[in-house]
Amino acid sequence: MSLKKTMQELQKEFKKKDAAREKLLEATRTVTRMSKQAIMEIHRGELVPAEERLRKASGVLDKIRAFCEEYPDLEHGGALSSAYQEYAEARILLNLHRKGTFLGPREVGVPSIPYVLGLADVIGELRRRALDALRSGDLQTAERSLSRMEQIYLELISLESAYSLTPQLRRKCDVARHLIEASRGEVTVEMRRSQLEKAIRGLERTMKRVGKIERSR
């Protein structure tokens, strides 16, 4: 075969692969968008719509996996990894809100590296939940969210071998540490304020009882 003929064949192959890449990118953008929307719904307490949205996103991921069987070299692109991460983050967060337990990568249905990176991002979502709880005076939820943030962080930093496989993890853990420190400070301040308010109310009740006793003499 002449070089010209070879180039013509390659041109056809590359055009086909480029069209496949665009199709894959569109599908991954759909998964990412739906996962982000589900996270917003979870924060609003709309868990049923969030679960339905993630069910649809899972269906798109199934199609992506089947598509990648035909084009396996496209499977390792950054866009698909990002979609997996966002989906994992949403699924983990939803299960925490519903059952208070963590899902593993097999249960979520994503590879291990995107799972770990998505799990790291859950820390930021839990901080948001903690702040929302503090604003509404729900100190118990804020403390529980902080505890889960710390739990995730401690487990992630134990994955030393993962740092060489995914440099992003170290950066995410650094961010997570700052978020946890800030959240711990805010929860502590609110806890002390709550304790002070209770002490003041207790003192007021005591003073009222003392006043009644003195007036009755």
Side-chain angles (χ1 to χ4, degrees):
M1 182 183 295
S2 67
L3 181 59
K4 186 176 183 61
K5 182 66 173 177
T6 298
M7 293 300 105
Q8 289 174 343
E9 292 297 323
L10 288 175
Q11 178 75 342
K12 292 179 182 178
E13 179 184 341
F14 292 152
K15 282 185 176 180
K16 183 179 179 181
K17 188 167 292 186
D18 187 55
R21 183 184 65 84
E22 288 296 329
K23 185 177 180 180
L24 178 64
L25 286 175
E26 180 60 32
T28 57
R29 283 193 288 265
T30 297
V31 172
T32 299
R33 183 180 66 254
M34 295 176 76
S35 299
K36 287 181 180 293
Q37 291 171 338
I39 289 172
M40 295 298 294
E41 289 170 332
I42 293 169
H43 283 302
R44 293 196 298 265
E46 301 169 359
L47 302 187
V48 174
E51 186 169 22
E52 175 61 20
R53 196 177 299 278
L54 289 176
R55 187 188 65 78
K56 292 178 180 178
S58 177
V60 177
L61 282 175
D62 288 340
K63 293 179 181 178
I64 289 175
R65 294 186 191 97
F67 186 77
C68 286
E69 290 181 2
E70 184 177 356
Y71 300 96
D73 50 335
L74 297 179
E75 186 176 7
H76 304 290
L80 180 53
S81 178
S82 296
Y84 276 140
Q85 287 180 48
E86 199 73 37
Y87 176 75
E89 179 184 358
R91 283 288 310 278
I92 294 168
L93 185 65
L94 177 61
N95 205 70
L96 279 175
H97 276 61
R98 289 206 129 179
K99 301 180 180 179
T101 58
F102 290 94
L103 295 176
R106 289 185 179 179
E107 295 168 300
V108 174
V110 300
S112 57
I113 294 299
Y115 168 83
V116 167
L117 295 174
L119 178 62
D121 289 334
V122 171
I123 292 176
E125 303 304 331
L126 288 173
R127 169 169 167 76
R128 175 175 175 176
R129 180 165 173 77
L131 293 177
D132 288 343
L134 288 177
R135 280 192 288 268
S136 63
D138 186 355
L139 185 57
Q140 185 177 7
T141 295
E143 289 179 299
R144 185 166 58 249
S145 297
L146 174 60
S147 176
R148 286 171 176 165
M149 292 168 69
E150 292 172 333
Q151 181 183 359
I152 294 171
Y153 175 73
L154 290 174
E155 294 298 335
L156 289 178
I157 61 175
S158 69
L159 296 176
E160 297 178 358
S161 57
Y163 288 126
S164 59
L165 297 174
T166 172
Q168 296 180 61
L169 182 58
R170 187 178 300 278
R171 178 184 60 80
K172 286 179 180 287
C173 284
D174 288 341
V175 171
R177 186 180 69 254
H178 293 303
L179 293 179
I180 290 171
E181 289 172 353
S183 301
R184 186 184 298 116
E186 290 154 348
V187 170
T188 300
V189 168
E190 182 61 24
M191 186 183 303
R192 289 174 178 170
R193 187 193 67 78
S194 178
Q195 290 171 345
L196 180 59
E197 283 186 351
K198 289 179 181 178
I200 291 173
R201 287 196 297 268
L203 179 60
E204 289 174 344
R205 287 193 295 268
T206 300
M207 295 298 291
K208 287 179 180 178
R209 286 197 297 269
V210 170
K212 288 180 179 179
I213 293 173
E214 290 180 347
R215 287 194 297 271
S216 65
R217 288 178 178 176

